[in-house]
Amino acid sequence: MVTYQRLVWQKRLIDDSFQRSIVSRLDRLYQELLDYKPAELFSAAKPSDSGYLWKILEKIAPPRTQAMPAGVPRGLYIYGDVGTGKTTTMDLFYESAPTHKKRRIHFHAFMLDVHARISSFRRTHSSTDDPVPTIAHELASDARVLCFDEFQVTDIADAMVLRRLVTELFRNGVIIVTTSNRHPDELYKNGIQRESFLPCIGLLKEKCEVVSLDSGTDYRQLARDSESVYFSPITADTNKILHALFALASANAPVVENAVLRFLGRTLTVPLSANGVARFSFVQLCKDAHSAADYIELAKAYHTVVLTDVPVMHMVDRNEARRFITLVDALYEAHAVLIMSCEASIYNLFTGDHDDGSSLGATHPSVGVGASSPEFVQHEQEEQGAMSYAGEEEVFAFQRAVSRLVEMSSCNWITDSHNRHLAKNAMMQQARKAGAIATSGSDRLHSAA
């Protein structure tokens, strides 16, 4: 839970009540693992004397089995719709799990590994020998905690192996944490000989706490479907979409904290970055004192910049506004992609007003001795004129920046960018839109006929 809270504070994760519920359960497992002392593994190997006498004993003696060990912490089976954060929460647990004997693997890759082990076993053993106990022992020797991503059973070959393998893994004290799009009761639904797989489902439900992570919103899909790169107003949902876009733009690459760019005797710290994508808050990039050189270097090093929490700017914020305009210019010249969450639409980010709502050039009543003297009136008129001129310059510059922002949000800009992941997604959006238009035109022709 501490790690989750830290990542939320660093804005690497969005605070999600559904995810927090799962994290609390994973934290329970983490605490139990701290005091867990696994028993010695049950050996599946035969005695070294496997000759004639052993074969006779095998026939007359009951098969050797091991009871389920006591005191093993209960694992977790996390299911729910895609894009809700199941893998993210499981990966947080895996990274912090207090054991070196752990393994995290996509379930499809795991089953390929198991089938390869079975094939290898059969090349060196009798056709009547059972490979499953030996393989379970090998897997348990390597990892007492197994984390699977996307647990699913789609064919009879996997189902028949898993019904035995899962049992043997639990007999060896293995703790399973897994994600899935299906509730355990839905696994291998309508599959051939499914009734023989049902005990495996029952055992999963017994040895793993089954929890649902379903916020009702697939933010990854929203990110893929979004035709915008600017999001306003700033809400929990827009922040989640921005987080999903960061993952999409970086192809879910590992995130680096506080990378440092060094140039011209200067340094620029990038709070979060991954695979050519940098992420800053507005305060970090535009309120802190940065020069054009910083923004140009940033645009050279990163093809995509995610900027969060951009506020509406008034005249009192003109220094921040100027930096923002300079940043947009640098990114524009580098043909970089800018993704933002904003307090208002890009057309309303700079008002040209004072923060009290008064417009540029407006007069403010003055009070006090000498307020009506000719010298005072002339001084105030000169001051207001200078402020009005400066304000007009800011408004003009921001209008130019808005024009560039509009161009930078276009589909053509994204498809021509150096971010191939966003470009591919934009091209897929164009193809879907073209297909929808073609279908609509065809339907109208049929209707007319």
Side-chain angles (χ1 to χ4, degrees):
M1 184 64 79
V2 173
T3 302
Y4 181 82
Q5 292 171 335
R6 176 174 60 83
L7 292 175
V8 168
W9 180 78
Q10 293 173 341
K11 296 195 174 180
R12 290 178 61 177
L13 290 178
I14 299 298
D15 194 2
D16 183 286
S17 60
F18 297 91
Q19 291 182 10
R20 186 177 285 275
S21 173
I22 302 301
V23 170
S24 67
R25 288 171 164 84
L26 289 169
D27 190 54
R28 179 270 306 166
L29 177 55
Y30 173 88
Q31 297 298 331
E32 291 179 2
L33 283 173
L34 290 174
D35 300 323
Y36 176 54
K37 297 291 186 279
E40 289 188 15
L41 291 176
F42 173 65
S43 177
K46 292 181 180 180
S48 57
D49 177 16
S50 57
Y52 180 73
L53 180 59
W54 170 251
K55 291 179 180 179
I56 293 176
L57 290 173
E58 264 192 325
K59 291 180 180 179
I60 62 175
R64 296 184 307 150
T65 59
Q66 182 195 24
M68 291 291 175
V72 179
R74 199 177 181 204
L76 216 67
Y77 185 107
I78 309 166
Y79 75 97
D81 289 338
V82 297
T84 52
K86 301 184 299 296
T87 300
T88 298
T89 53
M90 184 188 73
D91 285 347
L92 284 178
F93 167 77
Y94 174 78
E95 292 296 330
S96 61
T99 176
H100 296 296
K101 288 201 166 187
K102 56 185 177 180
R103 184 184 183 191
R104 191 269 191 212
I105 187 171
H106 191 279
F107 193 70
H108 178 67
F110 174 75
M111 290 309 300
L112 289 176
D113 176 44
V114 168
H115 285 297
R117 289 173 186 254
I118 291 173
S119 178
S120 176
F121 180 92
R122 285 176 174 162
R123 286 196 298 268
T124 58
H125 292 73
S126 166
S127 60
T128 58
D129 289 339
D130 183 3
V132 173
T134 298
I135 292 171
H137 184 273
E138 292 172 353
L139 293 168
S141 297
D142 294 335
R144 305 310 293 267
V145 176
L146 276 176
C147 294
F148 297 130
D149 191 26
E150 296 191 18
F151 193 108
Q152 57 182 325
V153 187
T154 57
D155 61 66
I156 188 170
D158 284 353
M160 294 305 101
V161 170
L162 280 171
R163 66 177 183 174
R164 303 259 338 281
L165 182 61
V166 168
T167 301
E168 293 298 327
L169 287 172
F170 285 135
R171 278 182 178 159
N172 280 277
V174 171
I175 299 159
I176 291 178
V177 177
T178 185
T179 70
S180 180
N181 295 331
R182 295 176 177 272
H183 187 280
D185 290 337
E186 299 293 311
L187 290 173
Y188 196 49
K189 192 173 183 180
N190 301 320
I192 300 172
Q193 298 181 24
R194 185 175 187 263
E195 62 279 359
S196 64
F197 184 72
L198 294 178
C200 177
I201 293 175
L203 192 57
L204 278 171
K205 291 161 65 176
E206 177 187 342
K207 298 297 183 182
C208 299
E209 182 183 2
V210 179
V211 292
S212 171
L213 175 51
D214 189 0
S215 64
T217 305
D218 182 356
Y219 292 100
R220 286 187 301 186
Q221 188 62 44
L222 286 177
R224 287 191 293 267
D225 291 345
S226 174
E227 296 183 2
S228 176
V229 285
Y230 312 138
F231 302 90
S232 63
I234 301 168
T235 65
D237 283 346
T238 56
N239 284 335
K240 288 174 182 177
I241 295 173
L242 213 70
H243 183 74
L245 272 172
F246 179 89
L248 175 65
S250 62
N252 290 297
V255 177
V256 177
E257 297 182 34
N258 298 321
V260 178
L261 298 179
R262 291 182 171 84
F263 54 98
L264 303 175
R266 300 171 61 86
T267 60
L268 175 64
T269 301
V270 183
L272 299 173
S273 58
N275 198 19
V277 182
R279 176 168 175 155
F280 294 83
S281 69
F282 179 85
V283 169
Q284 292 166 331
L285 200 53
C286 298
K287 196 169 183 67
D288 293 346
H290 290 296
S291 69
D294 296 337
Y295 300 137
I296 291 170
E297 196 66 26
L298 176 67
K300 287 180 183 177
Y302 297 94
H303 53 61
T304 306
V305 173
V306 177
L307 188 63
T308 67
D309 306 318
V310 180
V312 171
M313 288 163 270
H314 307 281
M315 271 301 294
V316 293
D317 309 308
R318 57 184 175 273
N319 289 333
E320 290 88 339
R322 287 169 184 160
R323 294 189 191 106
F324 179 76
I325 292 166
T326 305
L327 169 66
V328 171
D329 288 343
L331 296 175
Y332 181 87
E333 293 300 326
H335 204 97
V337 176
L338 176 62
I339 302 170
M340 293 191 300
S341 62
C342 318
E343 186 179 355
S345 76
I346 58 173
Y347 302 101
N348 300 313
L349 280 179
F350 188 72
T351 66
D353 295 344
H354 296 276
D355 58 354
D356 61 0
S358 57
S359 301
L360 293 170
T363 58
H364 300 276
S366 301
V367 294
V369 178
S372 59
S373 66
E375 294 82 2
F376 182 86
V377 171
Q378 181 181 358
H379 172 75
E380 184 157 287
Q381 287 175 342
E382 290 174 352
E383 188 178 77
Q384 289 291 336
M387 288 180 63
S388 177
Y389 175 76
E392 289 172 0
E393 286 296 304
E394 302 297 345
V395 170
F396 175 79
F398 212 92
Q399 287 173 345
R400 178 174 55 82
V402 168
S403 176
R404 289 190 161 186
L405 286 170
V406 170
E407 183 181 353
M408 292 167 69
S409 67
S410 68
C411 194
N412 287 339
W413 183 276
I414 305 298
T415 55
D416 292 340
S417 72
H418 299 295
N419 190 317
R420 58 189 180 89
H421 308 293
L422 291 179
K424 180 181 178 182
N425 189 65
M427 287 187 285
M428 290 174 64
Q429 286 181 348
Q430 284 181 318
R432 287 197 297 267
K433 188 180 295 184
I437 293 172
T439 301
S440 177
S442 177
D443 290 343
R444 284 197 297 270
L445 285 174
H446 285 301
S447 297

